[in-house]
Amino acid sequence: MLISSPEERTVRRPFNEQVLQPQRRPHEHGQRMHEVVAEEMNALLDHARLSGTLDWPVFATAWHRMVRRVVLGDTARRDHAVTDDLLRLRKDANWSFLKPARTRRRQRFLERLADYVERAEPGSLAQMVARTPGPEGTAKHHQIPQWLFAFDAAAWATYRALALLATHDGHAGTAREEVEAAGAGADFPYLRACILESLRLWPTTPAILRDTTQATTWAGGMLPAGASIIVFAPYFHRDHARISRAHRFTPDLWLRARTDEDWPLVPFSGGPAMCPGRNVVLHTAGAALAQLVSAEEFTLVDPPLSPRRALPGGISPFHLRFRLSGP
């Protein structure tokens, strides 16, 4: 759907929404997703406790096991090849026509996805793909790669949110209280807000492309209808003239419904192109954070963040490292 023409998108988006259920909170498979997240985050913690630290490679490995189970089913837990193939294809695609097409690798990857849809393992998104009628001209399993690589951005947001909680004691305490008070399969509104705030501070999609539908007057002049524009999310997500504490960790921004009267924040894009997987992402990411912060005390070792100064404009999740010191 992401790279479909506008005409194709209008028929493919409803299929994506039927499977991903952006308006349902939690997702129909929310309880099963919660169970998978708990199992994989507990395995992650067991591994991290051996060394007393948590770094990106350990987190990412556990995250991808979790994602494969949520999207494809339990038998995909150890299927590193399917996510490795997708990563290789994406790296080559970044070079566009400067690199040759990986036809055999792509075919192998899509055949693996088709096989998981055929299996339709209970509780997986693949099961919902199998049972949901697809629009004419659409190979249903071709929608899945977008979901898999969207979870990469969710991993960055979740890991950065952990860094924010590790350096903001008051917010970490609120998060633990929410987890303690919640029941099985809870949706964790506060932890969802922490992830949304991570995405506000450090958008994983910094540039949003749009075309104007009518003549638009700006401070610098007028753009005609049909003009192409780039919306630079990091700029207006931190516009201190419009948002108080724009450079601080402020999850309260997300604890009420936002309206058109609010300054726009678009962690999952907006309008007809808004990410249909936002509900699944926030549910799984919130459950992962809940499992981590309720089980351990995390101290950010490197690089440092402080609640007493403005948060940096960028921070690489790949270099964040934590020390574990018990619950």
Side-chain angles (χ1 to χ4, degrees):
M1 186 188 71
L2 185 66
I3 58 172
S4 298
S5 68
E7 295 75 22
E8 291 170 328
R9 184 176 292 178
T10 59
V11 296
R12 289 176 179 167
R13 185 176 179 95
F15 172 80
N16 279 260
E17 292 191 343
Q18 282 183 270
V19 175
L20 298 173
Q21 300 179 347
Q23 304 303 330
R24 178 168 175 164
R25 184 170 168 178
H27 188 275
E28 180 181 334
H29 289 172
Q31 180 58 44
R32 177 55 185 160
M33 291 176 183
H34 199 280
E35 293 167 0
V36 168
V37 172
E39 290 171 9
E40 296 303 337
M41 290 302 105
N42 282 331
L44 161 67
L45 288 167
D46 288 343
H47 186 281
R49 285 169 181 143
L50 292 174
S51 63
T53 61
L54 174 63
D55 60 17
W56 174 258
V58 171
F59 178 82
T61 299
W63 182 269
H64 285 124
R65 284 198 303 260
M66 176 193 81
V67 169
R68 288 193 297 269
R69 293 178 65 188
V70 166
V71 177
L72 304 175
D74 288 343
T75 59
R77 184 180 190 269
R78 297 184 182 277
D79 190 358
H80 302 283
V82 72
T83 38
D84 288 348
D85 276 350
L86 178 58
L87 178 61
R88 182 72 265 168
L89 289 165
R90 290 171 60 198
K91 282 184 175 180
D92 287 349
N94 286 337
W95 291 90
S96 190
F97 298 106
L98 297 178
K99 281 207 169 188
R102 304 295 181 184
T103 306
R104 282 184 291 181
R105 186 186 294 270
R106 180 176 182 273
Q107 185 61 30
R108 179 178 67 190
F109 169 67
L110 291 174
E111 286 174 356
R112 295 179 82 88
L113 297 186
D115 182 55
Y116 282 113
V117 171
E118 183 69 23
R119 296 182 197 180
E121 294 185 33
S124 70
L125 293 180
Q127 181 193 37
M128 298 197 68
V129 170
R131 76 185 192 195
T132 303
E136 185 178 351
T138 297
K140 296 193 296 182
H141 66 287
H142 282 213
Q143 305 305 302
I144 297 176
Q146 178 186 348
W147 310 343
L148 289 171
F149 73 68
F151 267 109
D152 280 2
W156 307 340
T158 305
Y159 202 54
R160 287 167 173 162
L162 182 62
L164 289 167
L165 289 171
T167 51
H168 293 73
D169 291 341
H171 294 293
T174 301
R176 292 191 186 95
E177 289 171 6
E178 178 179 66
V179 177
E180 290 173 4
D187 203 36
F188 304 119
Y190 190 78
L191 285 167
R192 286 174 71 113
C194 290
I195 294 159
L196 286 165
E197 182 67 350
S198 168
L199 287 166
R200 179 186 74 84
L201 291 164
W202 302 296
T204 54
T205 304
I208 299 174
L209 308 180
R210 291 290 186 270
D211 291 338
T212 58
T213 58
Q214 59 187 29
T216 307
T217 301
W218 303 80
M222 190 271 289
L223 282 176
S228 295
I229 62 172
I230 297 176
V231 181
F232 187 58
Y235 175 77
F236 72 84
H237 274 195
R238 291 200 184 204
D239 187 345
H240 59 82
R242 305 278 185 163
I243 305 171
S244 64
R245 296 173 55 81
H247 302 288
R248 307 281 180 166
F249 180 41
T250 316
D252 290 0
L253 277 172
W254 305 96
L255 292 177
R256 62 169 176 81
R258 299 184 59 79
T259 71
D260 289 342
E261 300 302 314
D262 292 305
W263 186 242
L265 302 173
V266 285
F268 289 98
S269 190
M274 182 178 286
C275 173
R278 60 192 180 276
N279 180 45
V280 168
V281 163
L282 288 172
H283 182 76
T284 52
L289 263 187
Q291 204 68 29
L292 296 175
V293 301
S294 64
E296 284 287 343
E297 187 83 32
F298 290 89
T299 302
L300 183 64
V301 177
D302 187 61
L305 296 176
S306 172
R308 292 180 291 278
R309 59 177 181 267
L311 292 165
I315 185 169
S316 169
F318 314 123
H319 299 112
L320 295 175
R321 187 165 60 91
F322 301 89
R323 184 172 63 250
L324 282 65
S325 53

